[in-house]
Amino acid sequence: MNKGFLIDMDGVIYGGNHLIPGADKFIEALQKRNIPFLFLTNNSQRTPRDVVNKLTGLGIEVEEDNVFTSAIATGWFLARMKPAGTAYVLGEGGLINSLHEHGYALVTQNPDFVVVGEGRNFTLEMVNHAVDMILDGAKLIATNLDPSPKTMGWTNLGIKSVVAMIEEATGVKAFSVGKPSPVMMRVARKKLGLQTGNTTIIGDTMDTDILGGIQMGYRTILTLSGVSKRADLKSYAFAPDLIVDTVGELDLDEWLEGPSSFLHGQAGMNGKLMVQN
């Protein structure tokens, strides 16, 4: 039975514009062995073509079908909730394309949904307009609830910040589609045609990748090359199955052939710490 991977990108494959050591070799190994995988990103601005172009520049050759974004998941979700519906969008690029591809019309009044994604071009006036629409009955959807990075010079607020403003102004809670939501996690798995127990998610963030994987019953691998660090684990009531410094250190054979759960604290592949969910 096939086993495969859902792979976060920023912090696992690259950091900013720099390839994380060994990430290219890991993807190459998956391709040579025909192991199914999807790059799973909460970034709703980028289209799959944008993602492919970025990876190509880092020396990783993949197809658009290897990319699954929160924008794609949002388009799928809305089409299921209300086929051929309408949306007012605070977002750009990939989100707009996905909604069109899923049969949605983008409108500036009386929408079925207000959809919030990443973007630099929407204004406070647009946010005020969205608030009025929600108070008039439109449903509030967020492509994800990623926080702002809280670093100087950042020009793109995390969606969580924008959504929090709209939620406070309307008294309405947003439904989030992206990681760790089961919506995105389940649709991505089904796209690969995998069973739950044969799906592994690799990520650098405990609050999204690892949490979402554990909630879905997937096997989980935390890389320490991004957001979450080993010292952070003490703050969580859950833990990944495996911790590696980088994805390039993963022993693919041993992981694929090993059991789906491991004893807490037992030394595993290459002496790396493996812990049980």
Side-chain angles (χ1 to χ4, degrees):
M1 191 173 292
N2 282 344
K3 295 183 179 181
F5 292 87
L6 304 176
I7 307 168
D8 185 36
M9 300 181 67
D10 199 351
V12 175
I13 302 300
Y14 54 75
N17 293 315
H18 301 286
L19 181 72
I20 290 174
D24 52 345
K25 300 300 182 184
F26 175 70
I27 299 303
E28 184 179 339
L30 297 180
Q31 292 169 326
K32 285 182 177 179
R33 297 173 58 167
N34 293 317
I35 297 172
F37 70 92
L38 277 179
F39 289 114
L40 211 61
T41 174
N42 263 356
N43 190 311
S44 64
Q45 268 183 298
R46 291 178 179 156
T47 65
R49 173 48 50 187
D50 293 333
V51 174
V52 168
N53 288 341
K54 179 178 179 68
L55 291 172
T56 298
L58 295 172
I60 298 175
E61 299 291 339
V62 295
E63 304 294 331
E64 290 184 41
D65 281 346
N66 293 122
V67 178
F68 195 75
T69 71
S70 64
I72 298 172
T74 299
W76 177 91
F77 175 75
L78 293 183
R80 183 177 181 184
M81 292 297 100
K82 186 168 185 178
T86 60
Y88 180 69
V89 177
L90 299 177
E92 302 167 6
L95 177 56
I96 291 172
N97 287 353
S98 177
L99 293 177
H100 280 312
E101 289 171 0
H102 285 88
Y104 258 64
L106 306 189
V107 298
T108 56
Q109 54 185 329
N110 301 319
D112 298 311
F113 298 93
V114 169
V115 184
V116 183
E118 283 92 354
R120 299 182 181 182
N121 296 326
F122 47 81
T123 64
L124 187 58
E125 181 180 1
M126 294 171 67
V127 172
N128 288 337
H129 198 29
V131 167
D132 286 342
M133 292 172 173
I134 295 165
L135 291 174
D136 195 38
K139 305 297 189 296
L140 177 58
I141 301 291
T143 58
N144 64 76
L145 290 177
D146 286 359
S148 299
K150 300 173 182 63
T151 57
M152 293 182 63
W154 192 257
T155 59
N156 193 0
L157 286 175
I159 293 179
K160 187 175 183 179
S161 301
V162 179
V163 169
M165 179 168 53
I166 296 174
E167 288 178 335
E168 196 285 328
T170 61
V172 174
K173 293 291 290 184
F175 181 85
S176 176
V177 178
K179 300 180 295 183
S181 168
V183 174
M184 184 170 180
M185 303 291 285
R186 183 178 293 111
V187 175
R189 172 182 63 79
K190 289 186 175 182
K191 181 177 172 66
L192 289 181
L194 299 174
Q195 297 297 314
T196 296
N198 291 329
T199 304
T200 296
I201 183 163
I202 305 175
D204 70 309
T205 308
M206 289 290 291
D207 293 310
T208 53
D209 309 303
I210 305 306
L211 174 60
I214 288 173
Q215 289 175 328
M216 290 301 299
Y218 302 160
R219 301 171 73 191
T220 55
I221 300 174
L222 175 71
T223 65
L224 300 178
S225 49
V227 173
S228 296
K229 303 304 179 186
R230 193 181 296 274
D232 299 330
L233 291 175
K234 64 180 182 294
S235 301
Y236 295 92
F238 58 91
D241 290 306
L242 175 67
I243 303 170
V244 294
D245 289 329
T246 68
V247 72
E249 295 184 358
L250 177 63
D251 186 321
L252 189 56
D253 286 322
E254 193 165 355
W255 179 258
L256 293 174
E257 294 170 5
S260 59
S261 62
F262 301 90
L263 295 177
H264 179 80
Q266 183 177 9
M269 296 168 237
N270 299 324
K272 302 301 177 182
L273 176 66
M274 291 193 291
V275 292
Q276 189 175 16
N277 296 359

